Amino acid sequence: MRNIAFIINPIAGTIGKRKMINLIEKNVDSSVWTHDIVVTKYAGHATELASHYAQLGFEAVVAVGGDGTVNEVACGLIGTNTALGVVPSGSGNGFARHLGIPIRIPSAIDRLNRCGAMRCDYGLVNDKPFFVTCGCGFDAHISEEFQKADKRGIKTYVEKIFTEIMEYTPEHYSLHSEESDIDTDAFLITCANCNQWGNAAQIAPRASIQDGKMDITIVNKFPLAVAPALALRLFTKTVADSYYIHTLKTQEVTLTRPEGAPFHIDGDPVQLPAEVTIRIIEDGLNVLVEKRY
């Protein structure tokens, strides 16, 4: 039998942990998997649990939550043969959407019954791993505001965007890579391993988790009147066609921003120094995907 563990973040999404456990029990094929189910109790617990199951030799560990949960679980699996699985139940679910994992939870669980392992890339911001996107500017600011909110979910996230965009002031950033040097006042800068933030908003539609590089999208200062058109481009995979957007692909970049400016890793706000080095680690993680992927 193949061994698989499910790590549930009880505060991700809107489905209670008891219902989630029932869905897992109902949809996991017991002829394919012998499974454990555990619920996290504190920040960082998912990393500890994932590392434990990897040491036990489990074939896969499944992150049941959003991209923050994916990050924690994946951090415990780096450098092991144990594969990361995902059952998306967060607000954005960018990692799952990039891989075509169903957002409907029973379908995502059932899909695991037909999966095999694939090697993929991950990124490092200094020494902190990311698996979807990282960056600074408006999206990092929103991640801070969203973390403070009393309610989760896409509705709260959208409300924060509309509330904050009117008052947000772009800041100055410098980027140095083998390909180019850039100094600009930017609305936001995203370094992408996957193609989107989540909710099908594709900030880097050409990004691949198997090419050994990140896709960097720089949204320069723009008139507020063009914001709806720029937002539409996120959902039509045309961000690179905008006059206000610059893109590049690289394996490593040094990014300098104002002291104290916000930064996010996989949608979660973090405190980092003004200068950070961001790089991609090629084929550094096993991921469960459908065998036809």
Side-chain angles (χ1 to χ4, degrees):
M1 293 292 293
R2 303 162 70 189
N3 293 326
I4 192 170
F6 292 82
I7 298 178
I8 299 173
N9 179 355
I11 64 172
T14 57
I15 293 181
K17 65 179 181 180
R18 175 46 54 189
K19 183 176 180 180
M20 185 65 76
I21 291 171
N22 289 339
L23 286 171
I24 293 170
E25 297 282 6
K26 181 179 179 180
N27 290 281
V28 171
D29 188 340
S30 59
S31 70
V32 176
W33 297 108
T34 296
H35 66 278
D36 278 6
I37 302 174
V38 290
V39 179
T40 60
K41 297 179 180 179
Y42 48 83
H45 193 199
T47 301
E48 297 171 9
L49 290 169
S51 178
H52 170 71
Y53 281 111
Q55 290 173 19
L56 291 178
F58 270 56
E59 183 170 333
V61 177
V62 180
V64 184
D67 288 327
T69 308
V70 169
N71 182 290
E72 281 203 18
V73 173
C75 282
L77 302 180
I78 290 171
T80 76
N81 292 321
T82 301
L84 168 71
V86 181
V87 172
S89 63
S91 299
N93 305 307
F95 191 85
R97 290 177 186 271
H98 178 95
L99 289 175
I101 296 172
I103 299 304
R104 185 173 176 270
I105 289 171
S107 298
I109 299 169
D110 178 67
R111 178 183 178 273
L112 295 169
N113 299 319
R114 302 181 298 279
C115 280
M118 174 186 81
R119 299 299 293 180
C120 77
D121 308 333
Y122 71 94
L124 287 175
V125 184
N126 291 349
D127 61 343
K128 298 180 182 297
F130 73 95
F131 303 88
V132 188
T133 65
C134 68
C136 51
F138 184 69
D139 57 338
H141 172 70
I142 291 299
S143 72
E144 285 190 334
E145 295 300 312
F146 184 67
Q147 189 180 64
K148 299 173 188 175
D150 296 329
K151 296 181 180 179
R152 309 293 285 179
I154 184 59
K155 181 180 179 182
T156 300
Y157 198 84
V158 172
E159 287 174 351
K160 289 294 181 184
I161 291 173
F162 279 103
T163 301
E164 299 294 325
I165 194 171
M166 301 294 291
E167 302 296 330
Y168 186 76
T169 301
E171 295 185 290
H172 188 79
Y173 302 92
S174 298
L175 298 93
H176 172 71
S177 69
E178 184 177 320
E179 291 76 10
S180 62
D181 291 307
I182 299 171
D183 284 283
T184 186
D185 291 334
F187 181 72
L188 64 85
I189 297 174
T190 294
C191 299
N193 187 42
C194 293
N195 59 17
Q196 62 183 270
W197 288 318
N199 294 302
Q202 296 205 17
I203 188 64
R206 299 186 183 94
S208 168
I209 60 173
Q210 290 187 293
D211 63 356
K213 294 186 177 182
M214 75 187 92
D215 285 43
I216 301 176
T217 301
I218 303 167
V219 181
N220 296 306
K221 290 176 64 175
F222 59 85
L224 195 58
V226 307
L230 288 176
L232 180 61
R233 288 187 179 277
L234 292 171
F235 299 96
T236 56
K237 304 180 183 180
T238 59
V239 292
D241 299 332
S242 171
Y243 170 81
Y244 299 100
I245 292 175
H246 179 76
T247 64
L248 67 145
K249 188 183 284 282
T250 186
Q251 190 272 331
E252 182 172 323
V253 66
T254 298
L255 170 64
T256 304
R257 67 196 201 287
E259 193 74 42
F263 200 96
H264 81 87
I265 293 179
D266 290 340
D268 287 339
V270 294
Q271 297 297 318
L272 294 175
E275 182 177 293
V276 295
T277 297
I278 306 163
R279 59 193 177 98
I280 292 294
I281 308 300
E282 190 171 6
D283 294 339
L285 180 71
N286 269 340
V287 177
L288 280 184
V289 296
E290 279 190 297
K291 294 177 182 179
R292 63 178 177 81
Y293 184 87

